[in-house]
């Protein structure tokens, strides 16, 4: 079974500071991992994804994430926060790599609200 | 282009009304999804259509009725809803590609049931 734990429902940083959003996963098969961002009253936008290629994945808006199998983690980072980064961030794992699955169901973490202070 | 469109953007309906939500994608994706999202919560899967056939129904009440007229369109028919059904309804699509199967989301329909 697949599941995701996001540590910290709220993270606050100052503009220009490092952003670190934590995500740990549990998967019975090699996982596909995703980070989505959601701005108020909008849908989810794909930030980046890991699909068993490079372990360091670069996404949009300067974000990147590193897949660490030994730690079952996929933490999201950005070197310098911007005010426009304030949003809800969701980590998700897919069962798409499961040979028995035909549907690529997404399992979401509970989300982390990022606040950026000026 | 990774655009999924949803209409309407906002919908207010009474408990006796019948309305429909619409979702469209022109990326050639073969799977489409309906999610319900309450405030400060992750999206909850409701239905999945794969190759235009209903593949998953997550025990959703019958007052929600999905329809997939063709591979580009997905509807959600609403009837006799309850106030607790007020939420953001998100549509997503994915290519059903063996490598990634990434889901792309639309902007959502904000539904309010009075």
């Amino acid at each position: 079974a697949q599941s995701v734990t996001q540590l910290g429902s709220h993270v606050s940083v100052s503009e220009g500071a490092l952003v670190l959003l934590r995500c740990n996963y549990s998967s019975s098969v090699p996982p596909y991992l995703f980070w989505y961002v959601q701005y108020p009253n909008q849908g989810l936008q794909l930030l980046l994804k890991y699909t068993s290629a490079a372990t360091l994945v670069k996404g949009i808006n300067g974000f990147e994430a590193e897949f660490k199998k030994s730690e079952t983690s996929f933490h999201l980072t950005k070197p310098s926060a911007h005010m426009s980064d304030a949003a809800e961030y969701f980590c998700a794992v897919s069962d798409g790599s499961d040979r028995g699955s035909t549907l690529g169901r997404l399992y979401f973490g509970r989300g982390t609200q990022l606040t950026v202070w000026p | 282009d990774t655009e999924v469109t949803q209409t309407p953007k906002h919908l207010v309906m009474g408990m006796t009304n019948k309305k429909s939500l619409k979702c469209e994608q022109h990326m050639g994706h073969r799977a489409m999804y309906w999610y319900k999202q309450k405030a400060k919560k992750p999206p909850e899967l409701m239905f999945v259509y794969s190759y235009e056939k209903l593949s998953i129904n997550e025990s959703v009440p019958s007052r929600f009725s999905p329809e997939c007229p063709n591979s580009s369109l997905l509807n959600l028919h609403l009837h006799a809803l309850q106030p607790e059904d007020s939420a953001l309804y998100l549509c997503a699509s994915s290519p059903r590609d063996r490598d990634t199967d990434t889901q792309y989301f639309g902007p959502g329909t904000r539904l309010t049931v009075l």
Side-chain angles (χ1 to χ4, degrees):
Chain A
Q2 283 74 25
S3 67
V4 167
T5 301
Q6 290 184 242
L7 296 176
S9 58
H10 291 85
V11 170
S12 295
V13 299
S14 299
E15 192 171 21
L18 171 71
V19 175
L20 171 60
L21 305 183
R22 299 178 186 275
C23 173
N24 289 88
Y25 70 91
S26 172
S27 178
S28 56
V29 297
Y32 294 156
L33 293 160
F34 306 84
W35 275 100
Y36 287 90
V37 60
Q38 186 175 32
Y39 299 99
N41 297 312
Q42 295 188 25
L44 276 67
Q45 180 182 9
L46 180 68
L47 271 179
L48 49 78
K49 59 187 178 185
Y50 167 77
T51 57
S52 75
T55 56
L56 182 62
V57 181
K58 293 187 182 299
I60 63 172
N61 303 338
F63 284 93
E64 63 182 35
E66 186 173 9
F67 173 71
K68 292 187 176 180
K69 184 177 179 180
S70 60
E71 299 177 6
T72 61
S73 69
F74 190 57
H75 301 332
L76 181 71
T77 61
K78 182 174 180 178
S80 178
H82 191 272
M83 297 291 288
S84 61
D85 295 326
E88 186 85 19
Y89 291 80
F90 291 100
C91 181
V93 62
S94 169
D95 63 3
S97 61
D98 185 343
R99 290 182 180 179
S101 168
T102 59
L103 295 166
R105 181 196 294 258
L106 278 178
Y107 299 86
F108 287 95
R110 64 178 182 175
T112 299
Q113 178 68 46
L114 175 66
T115 300
V116 181
W117 300 101
Chain B
D1 184 13
T2 55
E3 187 178 22
V4 176
T5 59
Q6 290 187 243
T7 55
K9 189 174 177 66
H10 301 277
L11 179 62
V12 179
M13 60 186 292
M15 291 190 286
T16 58
N17 292 156
K18 288 185 179 181
K19 297 287 185 182
S20 296
L21 309 185
K22 298 184 184 301
C23 174
E24 190 167 3
Q25 57 88 14
H26 294 288
M27 297 176 280
H29 289 177
R30 301 315 303 269
M32 297 186 76
Y33 310 74
W34 278 117
Y35 289 86
K36 174 183 178 181
Q37 187 182 27
K38 301 287 274 185
K40 305 299 183 184
K41 299 290 186 181
E44 299 173 17
L45 185 64
M46 299 174 72
F47 303 103
V48 181
Y49 275 83
S50 182
Y51 294 90
E52 300 164 48
K53 294 184 178 179
L54 184 62
S55 301
I56 289 180
N57 177 339
E58 291 289 280
S59 301
V60 178
S62 60
R63 57 186 183 267
F64 295 91
S65 176
E67 178 194 18
C68 188
N70 59 56
S71 60
S72 299
L73 294 172
L74 184 66
N75 298 321
L76 186 62
H77 302 297
L78 314 173
H79 174 57
L81 295 192
Q82 303 298 310
E84 59 264 29
D85 297 321
S86 298
L88 182 67
Y89 287 84
L90 295 165
C91 174
S93 70
S94 70
R96 292 304 299 134
D97 182 279
R98 287 181 61 85
D99 291 331
T100 64
D101 208 21
T102 303
Q103 290 187 30
Y104 297 92
F105 286 79
T109 293
R110 174 71 63 186
L111 174 67
T112 302
V113 182
L114 301 177

